[in-house]
Amino acid sequence: YNELRSKEGELHLILNRPDFTTAHQVELMINKHFTENIANARSAQIIEIHPPASTRKHFIYFISQLENLNITPDNVPIV
């Protein structure tokens, strides 16, 4: 799993379709699910995640929890 984390221990979730609303929703859902502020939307495409120390021994389970969050992407913006 070392390839998933940066040297600082963080993960970067990259959205296929950048969208500020979706990035914000992902941040909120992750933080709500884990009941602490571990996610931070850095842009319309990148969400930075700092896995809690308690997940180090069960990192695969942590990743599976992330991928099973139910998040509905925002509609394509009309500008």
Side-chain angles (χ1 to χ4, degrees):
Y1 71 87
N2 293 334
E3 296 172 2
L4 295 175
R5 297 172 122 172
S6 71
K7 290 180 183 178
E8 295 78 25
E10 63 198 25
L11 300 170
H12 289 113
L13 179 64
I14 301 171
L15 302 179
N16 286 332
R17 293 186 178 145
D19 181 81
F20 287 106
T21 302
T22 301
H24 181 68
Q25 288 174 352
V26 170
E27 174 188 339
L28 292 176
M29 289 300 292
I30 291 171
N31 290 338
K32 181 179 177 182
H33 180 79
F34 291 99
T35 65
E36 55 185 302
N37 291 326
I38 63 169
N40 187 11
R42 292 291 183 190
S43 69
Q45 187 173 24
I46 299 172
I47 297 91
E48 186 177 275
I49 303 168
H50 297 271
S54 62
T55 64
R56 289 188 183 142
K57 290 185 179 182
H58 306 285
F59 191 68
I60 299 303
Y61 177 66
F62 174 73
I63 296 296
S64 74
Q65 287 182 302
L66 287 176
E67 74 178 1
N68 284 300
L69 292 175
N70 189 13
I71 300 166
T72 304
D74 192 37
N75 295 328
V76 177
I78 300 172
V79 180

